[in-house]
Amino acid sequence: MAPRVSFYVVQHGDPGQRLAIVARLADKALRQGYRIHIHAGDESQARALDELLWTFRPVSFVPHALAGEPGDQPVAIGWQGAPADERDLLINLQPGVPGFFHQFQRVAEVVTQDPASLEAQRAAWRFYRQQGCELEKHDLRGV
């Protein structure tokens, strides 16, 4: 069965806003019982997310680990390939659709208003639709 894919459209082009949305999505999904894989664009972005997930809420943090670190955390952050263990939700920050997307029940794509992101996400929408995925779009205003 094809995963359900949600596109979260941020009304900014600021990369910091994109990471803040990812942190909020991961926090919410974790509270709903999901095991999450965040597929970062590169190692630098993965490390920025690692830091953000410790600090984005003043009174709590999202338990997580970078790919390859010991321990079994509910949120894993990788950038090179599929997660080593089973996960429910993929939050994709890479410009293309990861080849392993079908391993997940749900996929979240975070779209910003810069031209490269918009074009990549339009292509991703078409690809997911061709794969028979259920698609939904959420406009995030005032973020």
Side-chain angles (χ1 to χ4, degrees):
M1 182 171 181
R4 185 169 81 189
V5 182
S6 300
F7 286 78
Y8 295 89
V9 181
V10 182
Q11 299 304 311
H12 302 279
D14 176 17
Q17 283 290 329
R18 190 172 191 216
L19 296 186
I21 295 298
V22 170
R24 287 178 40 200
L25 288 173
D27 184 49
K28 182 177 180 181
L30 180 63
R31 286 185 274 122
Q32 293 174 345
Y34 285 94
R35 291 182 51 79
I36 304 150
H37 176 73
I38 301 173
H39 195 54
D42 56 29
E43 184 177 1
S44 174
Q45 186 180 56
R47 293 195 181 283
L49 275 165
D50 177 40
E51 186 63 33
L52 181 61
L53 291 176
W54 286 110
T55 61
F56 89 102
R57 287 205 182 273
V59 295
S60 68
F61 69 97
V62 174
H64 66 280
L66 288 170
E69 289 182 347
D72 182 28
Q73 298 298 331
V75 178
I77 305 168
W79 60 93
Q80 293 183 316
D85 57 353
E86 189 173 322
R87 302 282 164 163
D88 309 302
L89 170 64
L90 167 65
I91 300 175
N92 183 38
L93 293 173
Q94 297 222 350
V97 176
F100 54 85
F101 80 94
H102 61 285
Q103 297 174 358
F104 297 84
Q105 296 171 16
R106 301 220 31 212
V107 176
E109 296 276 355
V110 181
V111 185
T112 55
Q113 296 303 307
D114 63 279
S117 177
L118 288 170
E119 186 52 40
Q121 296 311 314
R122 286 183 186 113
W125 181 280
R126 289 188 296 271
F127 176 82
Y128 287 127
R129 185 178 58 216
Q130 291 169 350
Q131 300 302 308
C133 298
E134 177 185 339
L135 302 175
E136 58 187 21
K137 178 181 171 240
H138 305 277
D139 289 315
L140 305 177
R141 303 191 189 284
V143 178

